[in-house]
Amino acid sequence: MTDRLTPGLLVLHGNRAELLVDTVIEWLGRHPLAPLEEEVFLVQSNGVAEWLKMSLAARRGVCAATRVELPARFLWRAYRQVLGRDAVPPTSDFDKLPLTWRLMALLPELVDQPVFAPLAGFLAAGEGGPDEGRRRLQLAERLADLYDQYQVYRADWLERWAEGHDDAPPVRELPPDQRWQAALWRELRAGAAPGSRPELHQRFLA
């Protein structure tokens, strides 16, 4: 039985990921978890997740009892654990995959509005041709990824946009050709079940 570690934060910086992995593995070896406990690693992309799992397996002989996931999924699980499964569904309408398909359906309904002219211009390039659906899917995927990142790193912007503002605090008003971002977020919220990640985060902290 190992001594329990005092909770804290250790920050290591480096520009060579393989050296950081070696350091983490060495540290984990000196402070092993109890049987059936799970190591949790948060990474910035699915590609890094696969690389990390292969690196752990190569250096330790096996990658087991290990959860490697994106920050958004980790936070969602924490919301369900703290707020309860009845208050937080298994998945969110604002996760990237459901958001992509909602955008696919929503974009044709919005592009005639002046504020969405930049999006309409992108879609118009493939209108009526074989690439029309592909371009809409490509745009929906990029927009879903954008709002997924905003939910993690720019929740204050989304909160302001939901209130009807078109700024990006604390910097400035959005320029006219970028105001579609705030308008589109309001449209997405209007057609979704209540409880985006920023909203749940405030309840989680409380």
Side-chain angles (χ1 to χ4, degrees):
M1 182 84 180
T2 59
D3 294 334
R4 302 302 295 178
L5 290 173
T6 301
L9 176 67
L10 175 64
V11 180
L12 302 175
H13 295 277
N15 58 6
R16 293 184 60 185
E18 64 275 12
L19 295 183
L20 291 175
V21 167
D22 289 340
T23 303
V24 168
I25 292 173
E26 175 69 21
W27 191 90
L28 293 174
R30 295 184 182 187
H31 306 282
L33 296 179
L36 304 183
E37 287 189 316
E38 196 174 43
E39 298 280 9
V40 179
F41 295 87
L42 303 187
V43 296
Q44 72 269 35
S45 71
N46 290 321
V48 171
E50 293 305 311
W51 172 82
L52 177 59
K53 286 186 281 189
M54 289 188 292
S55 298
L56 291 170
R59 288 163 173 78
R60 298 199 296 190
V62 66
C63 180
T66 301
R67 182 191 296 267
V68 184
E69 59 187 356
L70 302 177
R73 177 50 48 197
F74 173 82
L75 285 173
W76 194 262
R77 286 196 302 108
Y79 299 155
R80 294 198 83 202
Q81 290 170 344
V82 172
L83 300 176
R85 293 174 179 266
D86 292 337
V88 183
T91 59
S92 169
D93 283 350
F94 296 97
D95 283 350
K96 278 204 295 190
L97 186 58
L99 199 55
T100 297
W101 294 113
R102 289 178 55 217
L103 283 161
M104 279 287 286
L106 189 60
L107 285 170
E109 302 174 9
L110 301 177
V111 291
D112 290 335
Q113 299 180 32
V115 69
F116 296 114
L119 304 183
F122 178 85
L123 293 175
E127 191 172 0
D131 290 338
E132 181 176 359
R134 185 168 57 188
R135 288 182 72 84
R136 180 150 50 103
L137 177 59
Q138 180 185 16
L139 179 58
E141 288 174 334
R142 294 187 66 177
L143 292 173
D145 184 66
L146 175 70
Y147 287 113
D148 183 70
Q149 295 294 315
Y150 280 167
Q151 288 181 82
V152 176
Y153 302 110
R154 291 291 183 263
D156 54 333
W157 292 8
L158 299 182
E159 184 177 355
R160 288 284 294 175
W161 296 348
E163 294 171 352
H165 303 284
D166 290 333
D167 56 12
V171 186
R172 53 177 171 72
E173 290 285 327
L174 291 173
D177 64 345
Q178 291 295 318
R179 289 180 184 167
W180 61 265
Q181 295 188 60
L184 184 56
W185 179 246
R186 289 190 285 268
E187 293 285 349
L188 290 168
R189 279 174 48 87
S196 66
R197 270 182 257 159
E199 295 165 337
L200 288 172
H201 193 71
Q202 294 305 314
R203 292 167 53 196
F204 171 80
L205 292 177

